[in-house]
Amino acid sequence: MYSGVILKYRDKCLLCKRSEKYSHPNQWFIPTGKIESGETPREAAVRELYEETDFELSENDIEFIGTIPVIQDGKKSNNDFIYIFISELTEPILPDLDSATDGHEHTKCGYFSFDEMKKLGLDDNLQKILKKYFDFS
């Protein structure tokens, strides 16, 4: 199981581009990672966000909005999924990939509108949950 956080600022979402050296190379996604033994999905989401971006939130700062299946090699996993949380920011905060423990997993990050996100080739399931939450048409 995995857990990730959508950081929303106005009508934009923070996305990070995966390094070609790691899983899902060159794909844009929200900060996400595996849930560790004994950890709740909420705890994992906050930890992974910090490890990947050096941006710290409390568990009270995020809201659970749903799950999406994990896609491996273009195929949907029947047993694995990602818990998705969201946090609405009052100002855009850019990740510090150089300071983040796992910042090397990404090559760059930025805030994107839904129209811009569609051009990045996002995972269909992530795109669906973003569309639903952001209420884009």
Side-chain angles (χ1 to χ4, degrees):
M1 299 300 156
Y2 297 82
S3 206
V5 179
I6 294 168
L7 292 181
K8 181 182 183 232
Y9 173 68
R10 296 187 180 165
D11 67 341
K12 295 188 176 196
C13 172
L14 177 76
L15 297 172
C16 298
K17 186 175 183 181
R18 300 283 297 168
S19 169
E20 61 187 34
K21 298 176 185 176
Y22 294 92
S23 62
H24 307 285
N26 298 314
Q27 290 185 343
W28 289 90
F29 210 77
I30 59 173
T32 300
K34 286 186 179 182
I35 299 171
E36 294 178 357
S37 179
E39 192 174 43
T40 68
R42 186 177 297 274
E43 291 167 339
V46 168
R47 177 186 52 76
E48 284 291 341
L49 177 67
Y50 179 71
E51 289 177 359
E52 293 186 12
T53 67
D54 204 42
F55 181 61
E56 196 166 358
L57 289 177
S58 79
E59 291 178 37
N60 294 329
D61 293 330
I62 62 174
E63 175 186 346
F64 175 72
I65 61 170
T67 62
I68 60 174
V70 170
I71 305 297
Q72 291 286 357
D73 301 320
K75 297 179 184 175
K76 179 176 149 182
S77 170
N78 292 328
N79 302 324
D80 248 353
F81 57 91
I82 304 168
Y83 291 88
I84 304 292
F85 294 84
I86 193 161
S87 182
E88 294 201 34
L89 304 176
T90 56
E91 60 185 63
I93 299 171
L94 286 175
D96 185 346
L97 298 179
D98 292 330
S99 296
T101 307
D102 292 338
H104 57 277
E105 292 181 8
H106 306 289
T107 56
K108 57 185 163 181
C109 298
Y111 287 86
F112 298 89
S113 69
F114 191 71
D115 285 341
E116 292 168 328
M117 288 182 228
K118 289 191 295 189
K119 296 174 186 173
L120 298 176
L122 290 184
D123 171 89
D124 288 341
N125 294 298
L126 177 61
Q127 194 166 291
K128 285 177 189 173
I129 205 165
L130 288 169
K131 184 176 182 179
K132 180 180 176 183
Y133 185 81
F134 284 67
D135 194 29
F136 293 113
S137 49

